[in-house]
Amino acid sequence: MMYENEKRVADARAKVFKALGHPTRCFIVELLTKKTLSVSELTEAVNADVSTVSKHLSILKQAGVLTDNKQGSKVIYSLVCPCIMDFIYCIDDAIVKDAEKGISCILPGAKIERKTTGN
Amino acid sequence: MMYENEKRVADARAKVFKALGHPTRCFIVELLTKKTLSVSELTEAVNADVSTVSKHLSILKQAGVLTDNKQGSKVIYSLVCPCIMDFIYCIDDAIVKDAEKGISCILPGAKIERKTTGN
DNA sequence: ACAACATTTGGCGATTTTGCCAAACTACCA
DNA sequence: TGGTAGTTTGGCAAAATCGCCAAATGTTGT
């Protein structure tokens, strides 16, 4: 963390990870891989206050994970880069491997369903 | 977020992301792609209090990102799964793409050096 | 212009994270 | 056994995050 550039790179990466580091936000990202959704649709899906969801969306957008698109009075959110999901699957693999090796059972009893390439 | 399993998966994923969601921890992970390092070596590299670094390491270990290995009085940390770095590069790509598209310039002026496959 | 819907923003208490210091603990060595 | 280097843990104050409510803003249709 000595040099400026290192610091900047670490900050930029951490910002993205931090944005994804909340269960609701992870879930939102997953939902958006299937199709674009409005704030109210997302709100219903995640079962939280609209204002809370709006703030989560703002954090994800700020981090560059999502974009929004105004359609009438609705705001439609979508993934900037669907590759983010590949990336989440990579995490899943690591989690599952961990569980198998008994190193640390992060995910007790949960089933992770992984999509095949087609979407 | 309605069903138990969805919640558990989101929690597990978020835990990993959260662990990576701090500049110092991101940097530690990057250092460990090059070679395994002891707590004191890492402490010097990141320029923070030993106790702080130790706690960061504990968080990364708890999340399943790192393992440790006691060698004498030293504790050597290493990446559980080097694939985590591919995954960080994937983030970098997204960041750079963003910057290029001007959607959100997350990383003003920083140069991200990406390793080729050989390490 | 008004009402109804969709979303964002401000604010606030509650909780969590962060980073330093001091103290405890462990392993090695003289 | 005492000393020292390496690491972890406890504690605490400062800072950040979270989630809800209320209020403001924007949009559509009448």
Side-chain angles (χ1 to χ4, degrees), chain A residues 32-111:
Chain A
L32 292 178
T33 26
K34 291 162 200 158
K35 57 173 176 167
T36 66
L37 292 165
S38 69
V39 177
S40 44
E41 289 170 321
L42 285 166
T43 297
E44 193 177 4
V46 306
N47 193 37
D49 194 90
V50 203
S51 68
T52 301
V53 174
S54 177
K55 278 174 187 170
H56 281 313
L57 291 169
S58 154
I59 289 167
L60 286 166
K61 184 183 163 189
Q62 245 269 307
V65 176
L66 305 183
T67 356
D68 59 348
N69 180 309
K70 200 154 207 166
Q71 294 210 352
S73 66
K74 296 194 177 178
V75 178
I76 310 296
Y77 278 87
S78 53
L79 288 183
V80 165
C81 169
C83 85
I84 208 109
M85 209 56 206
D86 291 338
F87 170 102
I88 287 179
Y89 292 143
C90 172
I91 290 267
D92 289 347
D93 281 348
I95 292 169
V96 170
K97 255 184 230 159
D98 262 12
E100 280 168 3
K101 279 195 287 186
I103 290 176
S104 77
C105 192
I106 298 172
L107 201 58
K111 285 177 212 106

